[in-house]
Amino acid sequence: YRGLKGVETSELEPLMAAFVDREISDLVFPAMREIVADHQAAGRRCVIITTGMEGLIGRAARHIAPGIEVIGCHLLDRKGKLTGKVVGPLFGVDKANIIGAYCRAIGVDPKRCWAYSDHMSDKHMLEAVGNGVAVNPNGAFRKLAKRNRWEILDLPAPTAD
């Protein structure tokens, strides 16, 4: 995030909007849209916990489904300019701790929740819920998913419309 140091905070939102709408919307896996829609239809909250910028990921989430909550990094600013520093979830056990705190706050047992990830660094997050799902896992991550009996999703790459 150091590359954003000095950027006016007022310039960031339009830059993120243009980037997401131009670059990200075609990268969303259609199957994940369906999965999220199924969770929402069942009355489950859908939350993205990310090391990414909350504003950027929140905008990208609009291309998946409405109503997705995002817990991510917040860019720090001073006097209207970004400092290049962030606060928010890092990775690994941080995401698992956030799931636990979030579930306690809304009165939900994490063992009744789902978590989806495509990377080994999220193993603690997947262990923190009752329904861990490995998405397009690589070799070591696939082995871990099998050992933990997590669902494995092998999704085809999205294609531009």
Side-chain angles (χ1 to χ4, degrees):
Y1 299 106
R2 285 181 251 155
L4 296 172
K5 184 176 182 177
V7 172
E8 297 278 341
T9 55
S10 61
E11 295 175 11
L12 188 62
E13 179 60 34
L15 288 172
M16 287 192 302
F19 172 75
V20 168
D21 293 343
R22 183 183 66 248
E23 303 291 335
I24 302 299
S25 62
D26 291 336
L27 299 177
V28 175
F29 287 85
M32 287 309 301
R33 284 188 179 108
E34 293 173 23
I35 290 166
V36 169
D38 289 346
H39 281 299
Q40 289 176 327
R44 298 182 197 110
R45 291 182 182 205
C46 292
V47 182
I48 296 173
I49 301 174
T50 178
T51 59
M53 294 182 291
E54 195 168 280
L56 180 70
I57 304 305
R59 180 137 192 123
R62 296 178 195 168
H63 292 279
I64 301 170
I68 295 175
E69 298 174 59
V70 177
I71 300 171
C73 291
H74 293 270
L75 299 169
L76 299 177
D77 70 278
R78 187 177 315 131
K79 297 181 182 178
K81 292 190 178 201
L82 298 174
T83 65
K85 297 179 180 175
V86 298
V87 292
L90 297 173
F91 56 89
V93 74
D94 287 343
K95 289 184 179 183
N97 291 338
I98 289 167
I99 286 176
Y102 184 89
C103 287
R104 282 189 303 280
I106 64 169
V108 171
D109 180 355
K111 295 303 176 194
R112 296 184 57 218
C113 296
W114 280 255
Y116 294 79
S117 179
D118 66 350
H119 198 269
M120 177 76 90
S121 65
D122 288 330
K123 73 177 198 141
H124 298 290
M125 179 179 75
L126 297 177
E127 291 167 346
V129 299
N131 302 281
V133 183
V135 181
N136 294 340
N138 63 14
F141 188 35
R142 183 173 293 274
K143 287 178 187 174
L144 179 68
K146 286 179 180 179
R147 191 168 49 248
N148 285 303
R149 297 186 178 158
W150 296 329
E151 181 179 351
I152 295 174
L153 290 179
D154 290 307
L155 304 178
T159 56
D161 294 333

